[in-house]
Amino acid sequence: MRVYSMVRPKKLEEMPTAIERAEKLGYDGTTLLELTVPPTLSAVAGAMTTENINLLTGVFVAFPRSPMATAYDAWAIQSLSKGRFQLGIGTQIKAHLTRRFGMEHLPPVKRMRDYINALHAIWDCWQDGTRLNYQGEYYKHDLMIPYYNPGPLEVKRPPIYLAAINKLMCQLCGELADGHLPGDPITDKWFEQVMLPNLKMGAEKAGRTLADLDLGSYGFIGCANTEEGLERVRTGLKQRVALYASTPEYEKMLDLHGWDVNLSDFINMAREHKWEEMGNLVSDEMLQAYAVVATPEELPKALKKRFSGYVDRLQIDETWFDGLSDDDVARLLVQLKQI
């Protein structure tokens, strides 16, 4: 099992140290979020200061950038990192696209298909010298003069990882992507009954199997050395689950489980800004569906039970590690890689 670290500093100048630490501890890769720093910039910072660790954007919000702009970024970082860059892209929800990025909201699955196909057409031009003439529904690219052509890579092309939660995007991921980004929060039941079958369906459409897709772990992973620490982690995760559960995009997941709470319960508390109190709506049963929380001694076994046979890489966010030193984390990673 490969293990990736979620890196989330708020300032670009903090990224090199954070990514260097992840490499030193033994992580196989870093997942670089799009919060306050574009993850492509974070990947550049990491590529220049590390030698072995993979650099995955998880996720780079695609639609505010044209496929051409993203193609240039990914090509340059892949060259700089000597083949360690992994382009993880996603759609973002309507509110953020329209109100934060100021973009038009278009059908996301059809648009993402067009986006990925455009990337490949551009990269075909640069790598193989084919004429650029991509005519898609949303994107058209038919101009590439030598002055703007970076030429072929000496390493493999950047693999594309797609953030996909609902069935149609999962089908697209299985069909066109190299890897899957499950996102948070995902329950075990949603993964097994919705995501996995549709990833498989998409892969079969393209003449592939799930073995051709790099699958990431879903949900949250928490760890602490003491019962007090574990309780702090559980409390924090319940609040985080409640925050996500207050958005309409996760209503189907709540309905699938048939829990006593529903979307309106979370929305009402969110409108009153009762962020901490919202966590009380999340029962222990709900948390177990969304998260694996255990001591360092128990965590490898618990993660093996949930993920072994399903996924290829674990996603660790040390926000949910309580009281573990760097040495503790390094020792834990050795065990997790043996799953």
Side-chain angles (χ1 to χ4, degrees), residues 126-260:
W126 295 347
Q127 189 69 28
D128 304 323
T130 58
R131 179 173 175 265
L132 180 61
N133 185 26
Y134 182 76
Q135 303 297 323
E137 183 175 356
Y138 301 103
Y139 301 103
K140 302 182 188 304
H141 303 279
D142 55 15
L143 176 63
M144 182 54 58
I145 63 176
Y147 190 72
Y148 294 110
N149 188 330
L153 289 170
E154 296 180 359
V155 294
K156 64 181 180 180
R157 292 186 186 200
I160 296 175
Y161 286 63
L162 182 58
I165 295 176
N166 295 317
K167 63 178 185 178
L168 293 181
M169 194 65 78
C170 283
Q171 290 176 25
L172 181 65
C173 180
E175 180 184 353
L176 294 185
D178 300 292
H180 177 227
L181 295 168
D184 288 322
I186 302 299
T187 67
D188 49 356
K189 190 173 183 178
W190 184 265
F191 180 79
E192 292 175 11
Q193 295 190 13
V194 178
M195 298 172 78
L196 204 59
N198 284 287
L199 289 167
K200 182 179 180 181
M201 187 184 305
E204 291 174 346
K205 182 179 179 180
R208 307 195 299 172
T209 69
L210 285 178
D212 298 307
L213 196 66
D214 185 31
L215 299 179
S217 65
Y218 52 90
F220 299 104
I221 297 173
C223 189
N225 286 309
T226 66
E227 185 54 45
E228 293 80 6
L230 290 172
E231 189 56 35
R232 284 192 293 269
V233 171
R234 294 187 190 103
T235 299
L237 281 173
K238 285 183 177 182
Q239 293 173 8
R240 182 62 59 89
V241 167
L243 176 65
Y244 279 106
S246 67
T247 60
E249 285 74 20
Y250 291 92
E251 183 175 16
K252 291 181 180 178
M253 199 177 304
L254 292 173
D255 292 342
L256 177 68
H257 286 267
W259 286 314
D260 291 335

Side-chain angles (χ1 to χ4, degrees), residues 34 81 211 219 225 334:
E34 175 134 53
S81 66
N225 286 309
V334 172

Side-chain angles (χ1 to χ4, degrees), residues 235 238-239 242 269 273-281:
T235 299
K238 285 183 177 182
Q239 293 173 8
M269 294 194 75
H273 301 287
K274 295 182 178 180
W275 306 114
E276 293 186 7
E277 294 93 328
M278 280 172 60
N280 296 327
L281 295 178

Side-chain angles (χ1 to χ4, degrees), residues 34-49:
E34 175 134 53
L35 298 174
T36 56
V37 179
T40 46
L41 290 181
S42 302
V44 170
M48 296 179 71
T49 57

